[in-house]
Amino acid sequence: MAGSPGGRVRLDQILFGVLIALSIGGIAVTDFSGRFGLRYWLAMVPLFAAVSVFGAWSRARSRGESVAAIVRVQAAHWLALLLAVYLVNLLQATGRLTRDDAGLVALLALALTTFLAGVHFDWRMCLLGALLGLTVACAALLEQFFWWVLIPVAAAAALGLLWKRRSAPTEPGPATQQRSEPGP
């Protein structure tokens, strides 16, 4: 159920998984086509922002916190990234950065902003930001072996999330609660 707290957590997890999949796709786009890499990351900024804002909004609502304040802080956070990526695009358009370099700088800006969103709003964004940052480092240092490094790191991150989810304590359901039966 989407309206229940469990439903919101599930939707948050689905959206986070979509971000991971889109990030891996974007890494491939950036790696194979510098021309489209910058455009791809420009298009991803609003999506990352929307997922982060939605997660913070739903958690604030369930805790009874001011939703307006959370959304305002999130909007400022992600608008700063949008401005930074626009400036990267400007540097590329004026010839100060190549298309390949501009895509990687945009990815670096997204990695940092996503990581900081995790520090301030949702720890899972830290993991995604770290994955994106590691991608930039791999692109700079290990271009020939990039996919050999990315695939195991992404698999390890996914296993870590699964392990954390399975090891988290759950509330007992109706079938596991002890019943007090009336005595004779």
Side-chain angles (χ1 to χ4, degrees):
M1 294 189 335
S4 69
R8 268 183 290 205
V9 170
R10 182 168 168 83
L11 183 56
D12 282 354
Q13 292 170 349
I14 291 169
L15 291 174
F16 184 71
V18 167
L19 285 184
I20 289 174
L22 289 172
S23 296
I24 291 171
I27 291 163
V29 167
T30 302
D31 192 41
F32 293 114
S33 172
R35 178 178 177 195
F36 295 110
L38 178 60
R39 290 181 185 156
Y40 185 88
W41 295 117
L42 277 169
M44 288 298 101
V45 169
L47 186 61
F48 274 64
V51 170
S52 184
V53 169
F54 173 77
W57 172 76
S58 65
R59 280 186 302 283
R61 238 181 65 186
S62 68
R63 294 178 186 159
E65 297 172 355
S66 170
V67 172
I70 295 291
V71 171
R72 195 171 34 253
V73 170
Q74 283 266 354
H77 180 85
W78 292 101
L79 284 173
L81 171 63
L82 193 59
L83 177 61
V85 173
Y86 171 76
L87 292 173
V88 169
N89 189 37
L90 184 63
L91 288 170
Q92 186 268 320
T94 59
R96 297 194 181 237
L97 283 175
T98 66
R99 286 182 178 163
D100 291 341
D101 293 340
L104 288 175
V105 172
L107 177 55
L108 178 62
L110 180 62
L112 177 61
T113 304
T114 302
F115 185 84
L116 290 174
V119 168
H120 297 290
F121 310 118
D122 182 356
W123 65 269
R124 294 174 296 182
M125 297 298 273
C126 276
L127 296 176
L128 184 54
L131 174 67
L132 294 174
L134 182 62
T135 299
V136 173
C138 288
L141 300 172
L142 307 169
E143 192 167 340
Q144 300 90 346
F145 305 106
F146 178 73
W147 290 103
W148 291 100
V149 173
L150 177 65
I151 292 170
V153 168
L159 288 173
L161 286 173
L162 278 173
W163 176 78
K164 177 140 178 96
R165 183 173 180 205
R166 289 182 185 231
S167 66
T170 59
E171 293 181 27
T176 58
Q177 291 178 345
Q178 292 181 347
R179 295 183 189 146
S180 60
E181 297 180 20

